[in-house]
Amino acid sequence: MQLRTRALETILIEKGYVEQAAIDQLIETYEKKIGPRNGAQVVAKAWVDPKFRQWLFEDGTAAIGSLGFGGRSGNHLVALENTASVHNMVVCTLCSCYPWAVLGLPPLWYKSAPYRSRAVADPRGVLRDFGMELPKDTEIRVWDSTAELRYLVVPMRPAGTEGWSEGKLVELVTRDSMIGTGRPKHPGELP
Amino acid sequence: MNGGQDLGGTHGHGPVKPEPNEPVFHDEWEKRACALTLAMSAPGGWNLDMVRFARENRPPREYLSMTYYQIWFAALERMTKERGLVSDDEIEAGHSLYPPKPVRRVLSPGDVAKTLHRGGPTERDTNTKPVFAVGDKVRAKNINPLTHTRLPRYVRGHVGTIERVVGCHVFPDSNAHGGGENPQWLYTVRFDGRELWGADSDATIKVSVDAWEPYLSPTT
């Protein structure tokens, strides 16, 4: 694959269809700039700011856009509220649609056949693969991203974080908790 | 198309294996495959639906044996070749052998951030009214097109409830095949797990898909 990608890249650059510097910049953007840290800021704000929280669930695109996030794989954003009785989980069974604008590029498992096949039929089994067991009566809402809506799960705020600043809460928000396959960290898990 | 990509509810793929501290890319070539794909949409002139079809339109055994970026790269090679932007002998040689074709636009380094931030909104203005309203029962049609569609097999023929009227959005089934954007009303449709997977299924599961109006019919 190394040789094949190099060959095509060389041809496309020689023909002037792509610029090397643009390629490098795209890679750097998704390696360093656009990642789950964006989504974590959205979630932390929703934990401390009731007005923002309401806005987020009413119009995810606008509320998240107010923090500067949106655009590619994030033009139409929907935030999903986890509660004591409802747990949300996001998948794309047909390809690997994922809210890049707030979470960056998807992890391998999200794009894999095991996740895409089972998330819609056996979400509890999938959660067990992540070491997560939900109460039997919790409703599980699975969102299959079949159009250009991109979903962001807002997990429940961990106990024992009363009075914490938004900046400190960001550290608790994990990528998987925003896909619905994990929980935020507990205060004791921070270094 | 009922291809290898339509994975919802299929069996035998084994457990999900999360990777602790996973890097964004696992190899140098994956970076190139990803960035070239993003950069080539400007000169290539194709749309996202065409790209998705180029990725999924291959024998299922092939689709399932390839990694995500292998699929991306194969689609990129296919599309650049189909449009005459590169040729087989150039790929063989690893160099350009012929003059470039004129292209509409090339992504300049200065435009990367702006282009990503603009993205590709798919909502369109319309004079039409949505046929369905929140709370309506609808049946996902039993369609089996050989062409691109975003209605997964596992909901076809099943009855769900309109949860959200999203707006009027570009219709992939047309847009993937040069039929234009043909915007249609888009809905989030919620299905009970037991409706989809039978009486033995977990009663606490609800699954939704985002479905365009042509995918849906009224239940009465």
Side-chain angles (χ1 to χ4, degrees):
Chain A
M1 286 308 296
Q2 195 73 34
L3 289 175
R4 278 176 64 192
T5 46
R6 271 287 169 214
L8 188 63
E9 184 175 12
T10 303
I11 298 164
L12 297 176
I13 288 171
E14 285 176 353
K15 284 185 183 286
Y17 300 148
V18 299
E19 291 190 37
Q20 183 70 62
I23 297 297
D24 295 340
Q25 212 175 314
L26 282 164
I27 295 169
E28 197 195 326
T29 301
Y30 285 107
E31 276 197 313
K32 306 212 171 102
K33 292 182 189 151
I34 302 184
R37 188 94 187 160
N38 293 5
Q41 289 175 53
V42 176
V43 170
K45 192 164 184 65
W47 283 347
V48 299
D49 181 342
K51 272 197 177 143
F52 178 80
R53 187 181 180 89
Q54 195 187 345
W55 187 23
L56 180 63
F57 294 126
E58 281 168 7
D59 186 348
T61 312
I64 293 169
S66 76
L67 301 182
F69 311 133
R72 192 178 174 102
S73 275
N75 283 110
H76 309 285
L77 290 160
V78 177
L80 306 168
E81 183 177 25
N82 277 359
T83 65
S85 55
V86 178
H87 180 85
N88 294 284
M89 194 169 141
V90 181
V91 64
C92 170
T93 61
L94 295 176
C95 46
S96 302
C97 297
Y98 188 74
W100 291 15
V102 278
L103 297 185
L105 299 178
L108 259 185
W109 60 259
Y110 184 87
K111 303 177 278 192
S112 72
Y115 185 71
R116 287 164 53 190
S117 61
R118 283 171 58 221
V120 289
D122 179 24
R124 281 180 194 275
V126 168
L127 291 177
R128 259 175 242 125
D129 290 345
F130 285 86
M132 196 171 165
E133 191 79 48
L134 290 176
K136 279 195 177 60
D137 56 350
T138 300
E139 179 182 317
I140 304 188
R141 282 287 280 114
V142 183
W143 303 76
D144 192 354
S145 318
T146 52
E148 294 310 310
L149 298 191
R150 294 291 171 268
Y151 294 100
L152 179 75
V153 176
V154 178
M156 284 188 290
R157 180 171 171 166
T161 59
E162 294 73 18
W164 280 35
S165 71
E166 209 175 304
K168 201 170 164 195
L169 287 167
V170 165
E171 305 301 324
L172 297 175
V173 186
T174 62
R175 178 195 65 202
D176 290 1
S177 73
M178 294 182 280
I179 306 172
T181 56
R183 291 191 173 90
K185 289 179 187 165
H186 290 293
E189 289 176 76
L190 285 189
Chain B
M1 65 177 293
N2 296 341
Q5 91 288 358
D6 188 359
L7 283 165
T10 61
H11 292 160
H13 302 290
V16 181
K17 291 180 184 151
E19 178 186 342
N21 304 314
E22 182 177 339
V24 175
F25 298 102
H26 288 75
D27 214 329
E28 186 59 31
W29 73 264
E30 292 190 349
K31 301 180 188 179
R32 329 305 305 178
C34 175
L36 287 172
T37 298
L38 298 180
M40 275 306 289
S41 69
W46 45 71
N47 61 53
L48 187 56
D49 298 306
M50 292 172 178
V51 176
R52 290 204 178 111
F53 187 67
R55 287 177 191 154
E56 72 199 15
N57 186 21
R58 56 192 71 251
R61 68 170 182 284
E62 195 179 295
Y63 182 94
L64 289 167
S65 65
M66 294 164 87
T67 68
Y68 181 73
Y69 285 117
Q70 281 173 345
I71 292 171
W72 273 43
F73 187 74
L76 179 63
E77 274 189 339
R78 172 183 280 180
M79 291 185 299
T80 50
K81 281 198 261 182
E82 278 174 358
R83 283 158 181 79
L85 297 171
V86 303
S87 61
D88 280 321
D89 49 349
E90 288 178 314
I91 288 177
E92 185 72 25
H95 282 285
S96 171
L97 303 174
Y98 312 104
K101 270 183 86 168
V103 292
R104 282 189 314 186
R105 200 167 62 81
V106 171
L107 179 66
S108 72
D111 280 346
V112 168
K114 213 166 49 188
T115 302
L116 293 178
H117 196 73
R118 188 173 55 237
T122 53
E123 188 165 10
R124 300 290 181 263
D125 290 335
T126 181
N127 300 321
T128 64
K129 296 259 179 298
V131 167
F132 303 112
V134 171
D136 284 358
K137 297 268 185 235
V138 290
R139 187 182 298 278
K141 289 182 186 169
N142 178 18
I143 54 168
N144 291 275
L146 293 167
T147 46
H148 185 63
T149 188
R150 297 290 290 178
L151 183 68
R153 267 176 293 185
Y154 74 90
V155 300
R156 294 179 197 166
H158 290 292
V159 173
T161 306
I162 301 282
E163 169 142 343
R164 175 195 296 260
V165 181
V166 177
C168 190
H169 281 247
V170 174
F171 188 43
D173 303 45
S174 310
N175 202 37
H177 300 287
E181 294 192 336
N182 185 23
Q184 302 287 332
W185 282 95
L186 178 69
Y187 305 88
T188 299
V189 185
R190 187 184 68 237
F191 299 86
D192 282 338
R194 291 197 166 167
E195 166 70 17
L196 297 175
W197 310 112
D200 294 338
S201 163
D202 184 337
T204 61
I205 299 173
K206 291 188 168 52
V207 181
S208 63
V209 300
D210 297 322
W212 283 263
E213 207 164 85
Y215 296 166
L216 305 171
S217 53
T219 51
T220 48

